[in-house]
């Protein structure tokens, strides 16, 4: 194989890989933007606010809740804090820390117990909201990851494009057509 053929092949492969990385990088950036916009829009519509710091009880005073005190829940990380450090605290005080499924089973076994039925309903609502907020967190986290990897992919695309163009430039500007590996010849 001549040096020119090797330069052409290497340059073409680099350019092809650059195109692939460019497309994947742009898609990752787009998906990151979509995830962040979607999370924000859906959370904004729910109008969930952290209590003001002066209103927080001792059990609610996690670092993330205090940091977000008085703010509206608009990001995935805020949704996680609200779900795990605020709602979960309140749910743990209902029915001695039992879950909805445990309390619901007990309420179904004793349909006359209105206290259990009320606890089951409260736990269902709280655990559902907590689950939805944790889904928003997960979606936001995926958006964070996509946004974080996009610049690396785009940078790799630029690097490969430069290498590919360099290989093609070398192939067309150097007259050396010796076979790579021939003894006594110098490949440029």
């Amino acid at each position: 194989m001549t040096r020119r053929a090797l330069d052409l092949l290497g340059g073409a492969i680099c350019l092809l890989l650059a195109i692939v990385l460019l497309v994947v990088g742009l898609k990752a950036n787009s998906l990151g933007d979509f995830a962040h916009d979607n999370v924000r829009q859906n959370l904004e519509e729910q109008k969930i606010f952290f209590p003001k710091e002066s209103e927080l009880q001792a059990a609610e005073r996690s670092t993330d809740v205090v940091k977000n005190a008085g703010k509206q829940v608009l990001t995935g990380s805020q949704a996680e804090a609200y779900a795990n450090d605020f709602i979960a605290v309140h749910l743990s005080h209902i029915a001695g820390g039992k879950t909805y499924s445990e309390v619901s089973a007990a309420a179904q076994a004793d349909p006359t117990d209105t206290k259990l039925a009320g606890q089951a309903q409260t736990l269902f609502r709280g655990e559902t909201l907590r689950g939805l907020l944790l889904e928003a967190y997960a979606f936001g986290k995926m958006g964070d990851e996509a946004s974080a990897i996009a610049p690396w992919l785009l940078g790799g695309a630029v690097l490969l494009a430069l290498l590919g163009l360099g290989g093609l430039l070398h192939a067309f500007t150097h007259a050396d057509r010796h076979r790579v590996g021939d003894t006594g010849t110098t490949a440029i």
Side-chain angles (χ1 to χ4, degrees):
M1 174 180 281
T2 66
R3 176 61 191 248
R4 180 178 213 167
L6 189 60
D7 286 345
L8 288 171
L9 179 62
I13 289 172
C14 283
L15 287 176
L16 180 63
L17 290 174
I19 291 169
V20 170
L21 284 182
L22 177 67
V23 169
V24 173
L26 291 173
K27 187 64 175 173
N29 191 57
S30 173
L31 289 173
D33 289 346
F34 170 77
H36 293 130
D37 292 346
N38 188 279
V39 166
R40 183 176 184 88
Q41 179 183 358
N42 285 303
L43 288 173
E44 190 171 35
E45 292 172 0
Q46 298 304 312
K47 296 182 173 110
I48 300 169
F49 287 84
F50 286 92
K52 294 176 184 170
E53 188 171 358
S54 61
E55 299 169 353
L56 292 172
Q57 299 171 10
E60 301 166 338
R61 290 187 163 275
S62 74
T63 302
D64 288 333
V65 172
V66 171
K67 178 177 80 175
N68 288 293
K71 296 179 185 174
Q72 185 174 2
V73 177
L74 297 173
T75 67
S77 59
Q78 286 176 319
E80 179 195 28
Y82 195 88
N84 287 336
D85 298 339
F86 188 74
I87 293 175
V89 168
H90 291 271
L91 292 176
S92 69
H93 294 108
I94 299 170
K98 292 182 181 173
T99 65
Y100 163 74
S101 60
E102 294 171 312
V103 174
S104 177
Q108 289 175 11
D110 185 1
T112 61
D113 190 335
T114 57
K115 181 179 179 184
L116 273 178
Q119 289 174 336
Q121 188 175 42
T122 301
L123 286 168
F124 177 77
R125 289 176 181 163
E127 288 181 16
T128 300
L129 177 57
R130 183 170 180 259
L132 292 171
L133 288 170
L134 290 174
E135 288 296 320
Y137 164 67
F139 199 48
K141 186 71 171 167
M142 287 187 286
D144 292 345
E145 296 297 323
S147 293
I149 195 75
W152 291 96
L153 293 168
L154 295 172
V158 168
L159 179 63
L160 283 172
L162 292 173
L163 289 171
L165 291 173
L168 294 177
L169 180 67
H170 189 266
F172 289 112
T173 58
H174 289 78
D176 182 21
R177 295 175 193 235
H178 295 287
R179 296 184 64 81
V180 174
D182 283 351
T183 57
T185 60
T186 305
I188 296 176

